[in-house]
Amino acid sequence: MLGEFETVEIAGERLVRVRLFDSRYGVANLHGRRWPFCVFDEVTTEAVALRLSFDLWRDVAPCWMGRVQKRVKLSPVEALMQECGAPMTRDEYIFWNSLGKNTKLAPEEEAGLPPRFQERSNGDSTDEDPT
Amino acid sequence: MNPLEMEMGMPGGFHCGSCDRSKDDVFVLPDGSVVCGDCVDLWERDRGKQN
């Protein structure tokens, strides 16, 4: 988890307090990108654009955490490739994680791959963002 | 900006819209703005004066 939210009451108003856990060692600065700030900013902008009330915005917070946790599953290399508009393929993922060797995966290794890289018989994607 | 370049020397954390500093502990005000703990004290004081 990158941080936590809590509701506090100050001067008769309910505010959201956001605490980031230890940003010094890369927890917050994942993949060299300021994930929390970027995503946080995105959600705030979205909330203002949609004219969501403050209470509604607070309901959005758990979704924000879910999105952050989903995004940080990307490896640094994968995140960089996605940033450059060239999403990593299954073969490239296996190549990188095998230190440059072309290896054939055992069934247990196959099961350990992220779902988006697992071989599927029907070809359907299971990595769709439900939100 | 290249993400790898950003990794070095860029502070992680939230940007306080009031004092322009990067903080790990911030508050979101009802209008959606983000301020740090020091600035929320000032905000609280202003609210107290208005009331």
Side-chain angles (χ1 to χ4, degrees):
Chain A
M1 183 182 277
L2 298 170
E4 66 179 8
F5 289 86
E6 66 173 327
T7 309
V8 295
E9 188 164 330
I10 297 178
E13 292 273 7
R14 281 200 304 174
L15 311 182
V16 175
R17 183 178 189 178
V18 188
R19 273 182 290 190
L20 211 53
F21 299 148
D22 205 354
S23 59
R24 290 169 302 169
Y25 299 102
V27 175
N29 198 13
L30 280 166
H31 309 321
R33 301 177 63 182
R34 300 171 74 188
W35 282 105
F37 180 74
C38 296
V39 181
F40 187 81
D41 189 43
E42 180 188 317
V43 170
T44 308
T45 305
E46 202 171 299
V48 171
L50 295 173
R51 298 186 180 180
L52 294 177
S53 72
F54 188 50
D55 283 344
L56 275 175
W57 188 87
R58 276 195 295 115
D59 292 339
V60 171
C63 302
W64 174 72
M65 292 305 294
R67 289 173 66 179
V68 170
Q69 284 163 6
K70 184 168 185 174
R71 288 182 188 205
V72 298
K73 287 178 184 172
L74 296 178
S75 72
V77 172
E78 198 179 350
L80 180 61
M81 291 182 74
Q82 192 147 311
E83 179 79 13
C84 297
M88 185 178 271
T89 64
R90 169 188 156 85
D91 289 343
E92 287 167 340
Y93 180 84
I94 294 169
F95 184 79
W96 276 103
N97 283 277
S98 308
L99 299 176
K101 296 174 189 167
N102 288 312
T103 56
K104 188 169 177 61
L105 296 183
E108 60 270 20
E109 291 171 321
E110 178 74 34
L113 289 176
R116 60 188 173 282
F117 294 128
Q118 288 179 14
E119 282 191 327
R120 290 180 288 275
S121 55
N122 59 8
D124 289 339
S125 174
T126 57
D127 194 39
E128 295 293 323
D129 190 342
T131 56
Chain B
M1 185 183 291
N2 185 326
L4 294 178
E5 290 173 10
M6 292 178 68
E7 193 165 12
M8 294 188 290
M10 288 288 280
F14 299 111
H15 177 253
C16 173
S18 183
C19 66
D20 276 345
R21 290 179 183 158
S22 185
K23 300 286 179 104
D24 289 347
D25 189 358
V26 295
F27 294 82
V28 185
L29 303 182
D31 65 359
S33 56
V34 180
V35 297
C36 67
D38 295 333
C39 294
V40 85
D41 290 342
L42 297 173
W43 175 82
E44 183 182 11
R45 208 176 303 164
D46 287 344
R47 293 276 303 180
K49 285 179 185 172
Q50 286 172 10
N51 297 329

